[in-house]
Amino acid sequence: MRWRPCTACVVLAALPLGGCAGIQSALQPMGREAAEIYRLLLTVTAVSVVITLLVLGLIAVVLWGPQRWRDRIAAHWVILGGGIVLPVVVLSVLLAYGLAVLEAGTTRPAHGNGPAIIIVGKRWWWQVTYVTADGRRIESANELRLPVGRPVRLLLESDNVIHSFWAPTLAGKLDMIPGRTNRITVEAQEAGVSRGQCAEYCGGPHALMAFSVVAMPADAYDAWLDSEARPAQQPESEQALRGRALFLANGCGGCHTVRGTTANGVIGPDLTHVGARRSLGAGTLPNDAEAFARWIRHNQTIKPDNLMPAYAYLAQEELAAVATYLEGLD
Ligand code: CUA
């Protein structure tokens, strides 16, 4: 009988491969460091395949080959060479290559005083502060924008527990440790959007601690950074104006900053341009008015134990107004 793989088996076997594609894949590098890691992966895989085939071939000869070949394989120098010298040489070369690649992002000198981005791991979101060459600090959250072709220093910190910054399309992961600043230099090589994720268990909603990576052409990035530095837009509609009044009256400004208003809290994400971000709640919800309303009322169900209280007492109409205001902050 001819061997035929069952359809279900093929589908099941192919399913895990789905995890290799998409916006959060180390197999689709968009940055220089990730490309180096990808080359390392291909090299190690290729060497492993060659060695595995070689060993399987030798086993086949030993089991079923002619006596003359078996005697050759049993020779002293084959045992010594294949069993000790070859593994030592191959593993040492791969180890040196691997260490060189893993050091690449953390030791590559980024433009000394050039721009840097400080990313602080919070409970459970990312504070992202862009520091420009002239010393301006522009605060944002849960989204990392990068100029294509320019190496950027990322300074990784935490003010609570250990998190791990991981944007697989950009570079390897690096821990964010309280009381320390870990540095990595990344360089986006093509424009596009990808996704990053906290890679160190940091408590309850660790799995909901994600962020977007948006690599933009350098000119567009500079223009974006200029607009990000501006104070918040003035609301235009009646509803958005009412939303702003409710936002301020309900104490939201105690935790959130909206530049250009009296809201200047530093506990939660800066919301000055929150409407322009790609997600809410650090990659938890899409960014639209309905999601804002859901988040404000049900955030403790959506992301349990985050530091924001659930505003269950707001009327539907009030929620809608605040949501309209926030969504308009682009
Ligand atoms: Cu932060 Cu896991």
Side-chain angles (χ1 to χ4, degrees):
M1 193 184 85
R2 206 161 67 86
W3 182 79
R4 269 189 329 130
C6 71
T7 314
C9 303
V10 172
V11 171
L12 277 179
L15 269 182
L17 288 176
C20 303
I23 55 169
Q24 192 178 314
S25 172
L27 303 183
Q28 291 180 354
M30 296 169 76
R32 182 188 291 269
E33 285 67 31
E36 284 167 5
I37 293 171
Y38 184 56
R39 274 195 293 275
L40 173 68
L41 169 74
L42 292 183
T43 307
V44 171
T45 307
V47 171
S48 310
V49 167
V50 168
I51 291 179
T52 304
L53 291 177
L54 185 73
V55 170
L56 288 176
L58 286 175
I59 291 174
V61 170
V62 168
L63 287 178
W64 303 298
Q67 187 60 45
R68 193 162 46 93
W69 290 18
R70 291 200 226 173
D71 291 344
R72 279 205 189 150
I73 290 174
H76 213 74
W77 70 268
V78 176
I79 307 285
L80 214 63
I84 297 175
V85 177
L86 186 70
V88 166
V89 170
V90 170
L91 291 177
S92 302
V93 170
L94 286 180
L95 179 66
Y97 179 28
L99 288 177
V101 168
L102 292 181
E103 284 285 289
T106 42
T107 54
R108 193 146 68 89
H111 302 186
N113 297 319
I117 302 175
I118 303 168
I119 305 177
V120 183
K122 299 280 189 171
R123 277 177 57 186
W124 286 265
W125 58 282
W126 314 82
Q127 182 188 51
V128 182
T129 307
Y130 298 81
V131 184
T132 61
D134 55 6
R136 281 185 306 162
R137 293 168 70 95
I138 302 156
E139 195 178 319
S140 181
N142 301 328
E143 194 164 283
L144 173 62
R145 299 225 175 199
L146 294 169
V148 170
R150 278 189 214 153
V152 177
R153 273 180 308 154
L154 303 183
L155 311 183
L156 306 177
E157 300 168 2
S158 168
D159 67 359
N160 46 91
V161 297
I162 299 178
H163 303 271
S164 179
F165 178 86
W166 189 35
T169 60
L170 280 182
K173 50 185 85 150
L174 191 59
D175 277 359
M176 312 170 97
I177 299 169
R180 277 187 65 145
T181 301
N182 279 343
R183 288 153 211 272
I184 187 168
T185 301
V186 296
E187 182 183 334
Q189 291 183 307
E190 56 182 280
V193 178
S194 57
R195 185 179 188 274
Q197 163 77 47
C198 180
E200 175 78 41
Y201 181 70
C202 52
H206 149 75
L208 298 176
M209 188 171 170
F211 58 97
S212 307
V213 179
V214 184
M216 315 166 76
D219 303 352
Y221 173 83
D222 291 337
W224 170 80
L225 199 56
D226 280 342
S227 80
E228 192 72 6
R230 291 194 195 109
Q233 289 219 359
Q234 291 298 320
E236 279 163 9
S237 68
E238 275 299 309
Q239 198 189 25
L241 277 164
R242 175 158 161 69
R244 180 173 68 181
L246 284 163
F247 180 88
L248 297 173
N250 281 282
C252 306
C255 290
H256 296 286
T257 289
V258 177
R259 279 174 268 135
T261 74
T262 54
N264 59 2
V266 294
I267 295 172
D270 185 305
L271 300 180
T272 306
H273 298 287
V274 69
R277 291 183 201 144
R278 301 186 63 85
S279 72
L280 299 183
T284 306
L285 294 178
N287 188 342
D288 56 34
E290 194 256 322
F292 270 114
R294 263 184 73 202
W295 176 263
I296 295 165
R297 176 170 273 183
H298 300 296
N299 70 75
Q300 285 301 325
T301 318
I302 297 167
K303 193 164 181 171
D305 295 335
N306 86 81
L307 292 180
M308 176 164 162
Y311 285 77
Y313 62 81
L314 288 176
Q316 202 60 46
E317 162 271 326
E318 292 175 316
L319 267 181
V322 176
T324 304
Y325 166 59
L326 293 172
E327 200 202 2
L329 295 178
D330 50 13

